[in-house]
Amino acid sequence: TLHKAGNCNGLEKIQSGNAKYTSESTVVLLDQSAIGATAEKANKVYVKNLSTDTAEYFTITINSEELGRLYAGDWMFIPWGATDSAADIKVTPSVASSMSLEYVLLYE
């Protein structure tokens, strides 16, 4: 069970989806202000690169800090300190051809 901040109750809200990208432009995957997630609450993020081409990857950034690259089949599960709009989670595909990922946000 993933708990809310400061107690043993489980997280109740979820946002998930699949996204397909056809350019190498950086895009916002999770927008902190649109979702309403805040740093005082528990936020957990799962992201998976659905590509099967081992040369393709997504670069993941938060507040202009690179967390790393998710290569084909790689996934991550992290706590997200959604402090402000600068804390949006952004992704940059490595190629301009079609690349897909899936994501899940669990939050309060």
Side-chain angles (χ1 to χ4, degrees):
T1 301
L2 298 172
H3 297 123
K4 290 183 178 181
N7 64 56
C8 292
N9 297 326
L11 294 176
E12 300 167 340
K13 296 179 183 174
I14 187 169
Q15 176 180 328
S16 64
N18 289 320
K20 183 175 279 192
Y21 302 99
T22 56
S23 77
E24 294 178 76
S25 300
T26 299
V27 295
V28 174
L29 178 66
L30 292 170
D31 181 339
Q32 176 272 341
S33 59
I35 296 166
T38 64
E40 299 83 36
K41 297 184 178 182
N43 310 295
K44 312 294 185 212
V45 177
Y46 164 85
V47 180
K48 181 178 182 181
N49 180 349
L50 299 177
S51 177
T52 57
D53 183 335
T54 57
E56 295 180 349
Y57 60 86
F58 285 97
T59 302
I60 311 294
T61 58
I62 298 177
N63 199 12
S64 300
E65 293 291 326
E66 184 176 319
L67 297 181
R69 295 177 175 178
L70 293 180
Y71 287 90
D74 283 352
W75 57 274
M76 69 176 200
F77 185 75
I78 60 168
W80 179 32
T83 54
D84 57 32
S85 60
D88 293 345
I89 297 177
K90 298 179 181 177
V91 298
T92 308
S94 63
V95 296
S97 60
S98 182
M99 285 184 64
S100 297
L101 60 74
E102 66 184 9
Y103 68 93
V104 177
L105 168 63
L106 300 143
Y107 64 111
E108 9 182 342

